[in-house]
Amino acid sequence: NAGVMQNPRHLVRRRGQEARLRCSPMKGHSHVYWYRQLPEEGLKFMVYLQKENIIDESGMPKERFSAEFPKEGPSILRIQQVVRGDSAAYFCASSLTGTGDEQYFGPGTRLTVT
Amino acid sequence: GESVGLHLPTLSVQEGDNSIINCAYSNSASDYFIWYKQESGKGPQFIIDIRSNMDKRQGQRVTVLLNKTVKHLSLQIAATQPGDSAVYFCAENALQISGNTGKLIFGQGTTLQVKP
């Protein structure tokens, strides 16, 4: 049973470009969480999605960031017009029921903005 | 506001010794706590969890203690091994809060260094 998969593992973008990060949850999981980790810091919640629905986006910046989890295919975190401050590791986690059960994390995507 | 914090940024122990990593939380409504291990370049790996109706839970070589009175959480690792070297994060959730969406609040992390 494959774990949570994220791609790409490393992504380099120039300022002003768009970044697309993909997350495939564990088989059978329909709940996806995105977290951001700055260097030497803990993870910060960004957004929680179920299939085709955004449930909680209280941690998402109001501009340039968006997320989706379509009926078919992976969850996508999209960052438009990236700036240097967006450089971080972005982790996706999935869970079976969404509350009160274990969240399984992917290996992360390390975004570098030059 | 809500916060989860670690008492020490780095802990250095001798191989074979026991390790204790501490965590303080401020949200008294939190009722679910998890310890994660993160190795360099990897995602967090679940170690052990505990709910607020318990004060102790044991796993393989690990024990989590919860003191709700002082809002303190600790992770004990028995017979620490070089492979235990990593950053350890505590995380919390308030499952019983109406509208809770399961998002985790993470602490800053403690780096565990195991000396051979």
Side-chain angles (χ1 to χ4, degrees):
Chain A
N1 185 13
V4 177
M5 299 177 68
Q6 290 187 250
N7 69 83
R9 293 293 308 277
H10 299 274
L11 182 61
V12 179
R13 284 288 178 265
R14 285 196 292 270
R15 279 179 298 172
Q17 291 185 320
E18 178 180 287
R20 280 184 179 240
L21 288 61
R22 295 174 186 79
C23 169
S24 296
M26 286 183 69
K27 186 177 181 181
H29 288 192
S30 60
H31 300 261
V32 166
Y33 298 80
W34 285 93
Y35 295 84
R36 177 164 63 177
Q37 185 178 34
L38 295 173
E40 307 299 319
E41 292 191 8
L43 284 73
K44 296 285 194 293
F45 167 79
M46 298 181 73
V47 62
Y48 163 43
L49 310 101
Q50 292 181 34
K51 283 287 187 180
E52 301 184 274
N53 291 302
I54 296 175
I55 307 301
D56 181 351
E57 56 182 349
S58 58
M60 286 273 274
K62 293 290 184 271
E63 298 178 350
R64 302 189 297 108
F65 285 72
S66 62
E68 62 178 15
F69 190 14
K71 186 177 180 181
E72 301 292 336
S75 175
I76 306 287
L77 180 67
R78 182 183 178 204
I79 311 172
Q80 295 177 290
Q81 298 175 315
V82 296
V83 300
R84 289 226 173 104
D86 296 332
S87 295
Y90 292 83
F91 291 97
C92 163
S94 74
S95 70
L96 187 61
T97 65
T99 57
D101 66 335
E102 184 179 341
Q103 293 183 22
Y104 295 83
F105 282 82
T109 293
R110 276 144 188 87
L111 173 65
T112 302
V113 180
T114 61
Chain B
E2 298 176 355
S3 68
V4 180
L6 278 293
H7 288 316
L8 293 173
T10 302
L11 176 65
S12 185
V13 300
Q14 204 70 37
E15 181 179 357
D17 288 350
N18 296 334
S19 302
I20 300 176
I21 302 172
N22 295 305
C23 179
Y25 64 95
S26 61
N27 184 2
S28 56
S30 292
D31 53 12
Y32 178 56
F33 304 87
I34 315 101
W35 281 100
Y36 284 95
K37 172 187 180 183
Q38 186 177 27
E39 296 174 286
S40 181
K42 297 184 179 180
Q45 176 187 357
F46 175 92
I47 301 174
I48 192 168
D49 60 0
I50 189 168
R51 298 185 187 274
S52 59
N53 60 351
M54 304 173 67
D55 53 20
K56 180 179 180 179
R57 190 164 187 224
Q58 288 184 293
Q60 187 177 15
R61 278 203 310 119
V62 295
T63 300
V64 55
L65 299 176
L66 175 63
N67 185 331
K68 295 182 288 295
T69 302
V70 295
K71 290 186 281 189
H72 183 268
L73 189 70
S74 69
L75 176 70
Q76 300 178 0
I77 304 174
T80 313
Q81 303 168 359
D84 295 327
S85 294
V87 179
Y88 289 80
F89 292 97
C90 61
E92 64 176 305
N93 195 354
L95 300 178
Q96 298 306 315
I97 297 296
S98 176
N100 174 58
T101 57
K103 65 185 179 187
L104 297 174
I105 299 170
F106 281 81
Q108 290 296 101
T110 292
T111 300
L112 177 64
Q113 298 174 340
V114 182
K115 297 178 288 187

